[in-house]
Amino acid sequence: MTAAADSLGSEAWLRTPWLSLTAKAVALPVSGLAALLSVRTIVNELGVAGYALFAVVTTLPALLPIGDLGAGAAVIDAIASSDGSGTCREHIQRTVVSGARALTWTGLFIAASSVLAVWSGAHTKILGTAAGTGAGACLITVGVLLACSLPLSLGASTLSAVGRFHVAQLLQAGGSVLGLAVILVAAALHAPAAMYCAAGPFGQCVGGATALLITGRQLRMPLLRTVALSLRPGLRTTRIIHLAGPMAVISATSALTYGTDRLVLGHVAGAVDVAVYSAGAQLYAPASSLIQAAGLSLWALFTRHRTTDDRSPKAELLRLTWRFTAAAVPIGALLVTAGPFVASWMMHGRVVVGGELMAAFATLILVHAVNYPVGMWLTDAASLHFQAVCTAVIAVLSLALSIPLAAALGPAGPVLASTAAYGSCVLAPCFRRVFRNG
């Protein structure tokens, strides 16, 4: 085994994902409590129908086939593989400009599209049964704030690239608290639904800007200023499509896979099922983010490893896979045992969140956990292209399965569809690529 591989197998390398997981675990009670209080406040002020509107509108950005346009992948690669030379620093600068410029133009287009959708009345068809009073204002508010948050989302990628992804987790929790503060102010003012919808995206904007400031200080580069002025003429860019392209496809297809669940339920079932699913998803999201935080922290480590040895360290990947699986089991068990009670309390007992929905979410967490180490190793350009093909397949398969399963099983149906599609079309092919082909 090479020196690089030895480094990968050392305790220092193996501790890295657990540092991020621990940071997330510390932040989780804060962000989780903020989310629970936010939902309870919204249901109390706007009712179940109002919460259904809030849930659908605020999760619509997940349906947009953009993510960060894959720019985060290019930024991580540029920073993590840098040796500190002037050439590398210039490459980082050009990469950030390229990514931020693409995201800024995309955000402006989305903001304009949200206004056009409301002006034409198309938003009522998009939202389905969840559409209600103030739906147009909610959609425009989220569209405009999304336009601001897109380029700022590069902040988490820059922190990950310098080995401080755990700081990004803490900033995310801070954004949740800020969002709760906005919601409490909205409730005190008896504000319209649009102000409640603005809370989350506003917190994301502040968190992203702070992340760019922190990384900029460490690298001694004006990253926030670079992002904010990315449209300025004369700034030099670089080619990022070889990494950003496949990553953009992965983000888009993942969004379609998991983001259509509420819309499927809204059309196949009804507003109550949307509310039940959304209450369960409020608990699934923070639970899943624990494993995700540990997994994403591996990206920069593996990028640095590949600068000296591009062979897959199979023994260490298996070791990490067992550790991720072991971490996912108690997380899923807690979700199944406590989830129904907490989710039902969150909904003021007006709807019942069943154990079958939470068990489906726990299974989805498990299959993601098993794949994270291998998936993070497959982040060079060729492997990202491979994963992009896999995720495109599961987007189609998951939607095809979600419709009949939602009709038969209710809120748990789309989750089970996503689990089956992910396991067969992503997890199995990725393991085959690493352990059979090396």
Side-chain angles (χ1 to χ4, degrees):
M1 186 175 290
T2 67
D6 288 337
S7 177
L8 179 61
S10 69
E11 285 304 312
W13 281 78
L14 292 173
R15 278 199 305 267
T16 299
W18 312 121
L19 177 61
S20 293
L21 188 149
T22 301
K24 191 67 178 180
V26 170
L28 190 56
V30 177
S31 57
L33 181 60
L36 292 175
L37 292 176
S38 295
V39 173
R40 188 170 173 84
T41 302
I42 293 169
V43 171
N44 186 58
E45 291 294 317
L46 303 180
V48 173
Y51 172 63
L53 170 63
F54 167 86
V56 172
V57 170
T58 55
T59 54
L60 274 178
L63 297 179
L64 298 174
I66 51 171
D68 63 2
L69 294 179
V75 168
I76 290 175
D77 185 80
I79 297 176
S81 60
S82 172
D83 59 8
S85 66
T87 300
C88 287
R89 289 176 64 82
E90 183 180 357
H91 178 60
I92 293 172
Q93 177 81 8
R94 292 187 182 189
T95 301
V96 172
V97 170
S98 299
R101 181 172 292 179
L103 288 167
T104 300
W105 280 118
T106 302
L108 292 173
F109 175 78
I110 290 172
S113 297
S114 65
V115 173
L116 180 61
V118 173
W119 176 77
S120 65
H123 67 290
T124 57
K125 295 182 180 180
I126 295 173
L127 299 177
T129 57
T133 304
C138 291
L139 190 61
I140 291 175
T141 299
V142 170
V144 171
L145 286 174
L146 177 62
C148 298
S149 68
L150 277 178
L152 295 174
S153 68
L154 292 177
S157 297
T158 63
L159 281 174
S160 178
V162 297
R164 303 181 72 181
F165 191 67
H166 56 287
V167 177
Q169 308 310 305
L170 299 177
L171 288 176
Q172 187 179 29
S176 298
V177 174
L178 182 59
L180 172 62
V182 173
I183 286 175
L184 292 176
V185 171
L189 298 176
H190 303 290
M195 186 169 178
Y196 295 89
C197 293
F202 177 71
Q204 292 172 8
C205 288
V206 175
T210 304
L212 287 168
L213 284 172
I214 293 173
T215 311
R217 259 188 199 186
Q218 180 168 337
L219 297 177
R220 297 182 180 178
M221 299 177 68
L223 293 182
L224 179 59
R225 183 172 179 271
T226 299
V227 168
L229 301 178
S230 60
L231 294 184
R232 189 177 63 181
L235 290 179
R236 304 178 73 178
T237 60
T238 190
R239 180 179 180 270
I240 63 173
I241 190 64
H242 62 297
L243 291 167
M247 195 63 213
V249 172
I250 292 171
S251 298
T253 51
S254 296
L256 290 174
T257 300
Y258 308 114
T260 54
D261 291 353
R262 290 176 179 83
L263 291 180
V264 168
L265 287 169
H267 288 84
V268 173
V272 172
D273 281 323
V274 173
V276 170
Y277 176 96
S278 298
Q282 285 285 341
L283 301 180
Y284 161 77
S288 176
S289 68
L290 281 170
I291 302 298
Q292 183 184 51
L296 290 177
S297 69
L298 293 172
W299 189 326
L301 296 180
F302 289 163
T303 297
R304 285 192 284 272
H305 173 75
R306 282 195 299 268
T307 61
T308 56
D309 187 355
D310 62 358
R311 293 174 297 177
S312 59
K314 297 179 182 179
E316 301 305 336
L317 287 176
L318 283 175
R319 224 175 131 192
L320 284 168
T321 297
W322 281 116
R323 292 194 179 198
F324 272 68
T325 303
V329 171
I331 291 173
L334 183 62
L335 199 63
V336 172
T337 54
F341 170 79
V342 176
S344 297
W345 169 83
M346 193 167 57
M347 298 300 292
H348 290 267
R350 299 182 190 181
V351 294
V352 177
V353 180
E356 66 279 359
L357 173 61
M358 306 315 296
F361 276 128
T363 306
L364 184 58
I365 288 175
L366 181 62
V367 296
H368 277 283
V370 172
N371 190 62
Y372 261 121
V374 168
M376 289 300 100
W377 173 257
L378 297 174
T379 48
D380 59 282
S383 296
L384 283 176
H385 182 271
F386 171 79
Q387 291 203 64
V389 174
C390 293
T391 56
V393 174
I394 74 165
V396 176
L397 179 59
S398 178
L399 182 59
L401 292 174
S402 290
I403 296 173
L405 288 179
L409 302 176
V415 185
L416 293 174
S418 297
T419 303
Y422 187 88
S424 60
C425 299
V426 173
L427 189 151
C430 285
F431 266 71
R432 188 181 306 114
R433 182 178 178 90
V434 169
F435 294 104
R436 179 177 294 181
N437 302 325

